[in-house]
Amino acid sequence: MRLHLNENTAGCSPAVMDTLRGLGRTAAAFYPDYETALQAVAGHLGVPVDYVALTNGLDEGILAAAAAACRDHSNGVPEALGVSPAFDEYEICTTAVGGRMVTVALDDDFDLSADKIRAAVTPRTRIVFLANPHNPSGRAIPLATLRALAKDVAPAIFFADEAYADFSGDTLIDVDTFAALPNLVVGRTFSKAYGLAGLRIGVIVAAPETLAPLRRVVPPFSVNAWAVAALPVAIADRGYRQWYLEQAAESRALLTGACERLGLRTWPSAANFLLVRVADAPGTVTALAARGVIVRDRSGDPGCGQCIRITAGIVEDTRRAISALEEVLCAAR
Ligand SMILES: Cc1ncc(COP(=O)(O)O)c(C=O)c1O
């Protein structure tokens, strides 16, 4: 049971599979046409089509943003700013394109101090990466805090990573917000709530002039024909998405309750996962794996001593995972 990468543990919508099965030989032979997928995603997000670029997963969107932001070395090594702990790709992509990652530590509750971020901005800061909800804690950041911070860090790009926004329901995507914040770029993925992680599709969303330098970095056909065919169908199947969001919310509550009973520390999560402090993270991960439950050891991350991260997927999986966790912890005691 894969509960380590925050995937949709039920799989994609059955309607998506029907569409994929129906693709003919030319779908593989021809370069993909993005028009239908772009219209679908723009309509879904409530922005004009030219505010959206498709990417090969949000990972590619992060790489494109880092590359576009860190092109200019005339004032020294360009800097990306973020928090610690955070999703690894911000640092990996920044250093891959010749930039330097600067991080500000979150407090023990993984609360963001916007002032600490402001204080860390230098003339070389080209981009600020923040995930909302935060990964690995799942903590939500108030949208008002993000809007104020985006304004204050300009002209640096403010990259709001909304990989888990389907679960929280909070988003900065809105035409008026983009008009007020020309440095804002929002990243979204269809890997999580929509169950398309294996197909690799995400989007970056921003005002057209802001998006232009990022578009130049994304290769012309980086999203393949299967992903492009799946996306409009996945978006149209609202019932499936809603069902999955409810499963994830119930699973999160079940996991939180179980951890409370077991005396384990957790943090309120707005995402489809829960960060849990156990006595021995590597030992717990190994013992759970022996019972067929894969969870993520985050104990090496700053501020995450002895923490594991567990995906809140379908309720059936969660109940099995909780039984395995109870067994492992009781055996350890
Ligand atoms: C915060 C965050 N951003 C981006 C991604 C990348 O998503 P994708 O699968 O679309 O590349 C992930 C995936 O785990 C994530 O946790």
Side-chain angles (χ1 to χ4, degrees), residues 108-144:
D108 291 346
D109 287 325
F110 302 102
D111 277 329
L112 174 80
S113 161
D115 283 339
K116 278 197 197 161
I117 299 269
R118 285 184 184 93
V121 173
T122 75
R124 286 183 299 280
T125 306
R126 301 280 183 267
I127 185 163
V128 176
F129 286 110
L130 280 180
N132 183 38
H134 173 249
N135 180 8
S137 72
R139 298 298 311 267
I141 308 170
L143 294 181

Side-chain angles (χ1 to χ4, degrees), residues 27-52:
F30 296 164
Y31 288 108
D33 181 347
Y34 291 163
E35 197 49 39
T36 308
L38 278 170
Q39 293 284 355
V41 75
H44 166 64
L45 297 174
V47 292
V49 165
D50 59 350
Y51 279 56
V52 180

Side-chain angles (χ1 to χ4, degrees), residues 139-331:
R139 298 298 311 267
I141 308 170
L143 294 181
T145 304
L146 292 173
R147 284 197 195 94
L149 196 50
K151 186 164 181 279
D152 292 345
V153 303
I157 292 176
F158 187 81
F159 192 99
D161 178 337
E162 294 191 350
Y164 301 100
D166 292 286
F167 302 98
S168 69
D170 273 355
T171 182
L172 286 174
I173 297 176
D174 161 71
V175 176
D176 292 340
T177 302
F178 287 120
L181 299 169
N183 61 328
L184 174 65
V185 177
V186 181
R188 296 290 283 262
T189 180
F190 297 89
S191 294
K192 310 295 178 183
Y194 291 87
L196 302 182
L199 288 177
R200 312 301 302 130
I201 187 155
V203 285
I204 39 178
V205 191
E209 319 76 66
T210 313
L211 204 50
L214 282 70
R215 281 188 193 282
R216 281 195 284 276
V217 181
V218 179
F221 296 107
S222 72
V223 178
N224 73 64
W226 264 248
V228 166
L231 186 60
V233 183
I235 289 173
D237 194 349
R238 289 168 177 234
Y240 185 77
R241 174 180 180 270
Q242 191 52 36
W243 168 78
Y244 192 68
L245 295 184
E246 285 163 16
Q247 288 281 308
E250 191 178 337
S251 285
R252 206 171 55 197
L254 285 170
L255 273 171
T256 306
C259 291
E260 225 165 76
R261 283 198 305 280
L262 291 163
L264 304 176
R265 172 93 203 264
T266 61
W267 290 264
S269 168
N272 63 334
F273 55 81
L274 197 67
L275 191 68
V276 183
R277 178 160 286 145
V278 292
D280 167 19
T284 306
V285 170
T286 307
L288 285 173
R291 287 161 176 80
V293 180
I294 310 171
V295 300
R296 185 85 182 263
D297 181 355
R298 305 281 346 192
S299 59
D301 290 31
C304 298
Q306 301 305 346
C307 284
I308 60 173
R309 197 192 60 199
I310 310 175
T311 300
I314 55 173
V315 170
E316 193 189 324
D317 287 352
T318 304
R319 292 196 193 281
R320 280 179 52 206
I322 289 172
S323 299
L325 187 64
E326 284 168 348
E327 214 179 282
V328 166
L329 294 181
C330 293

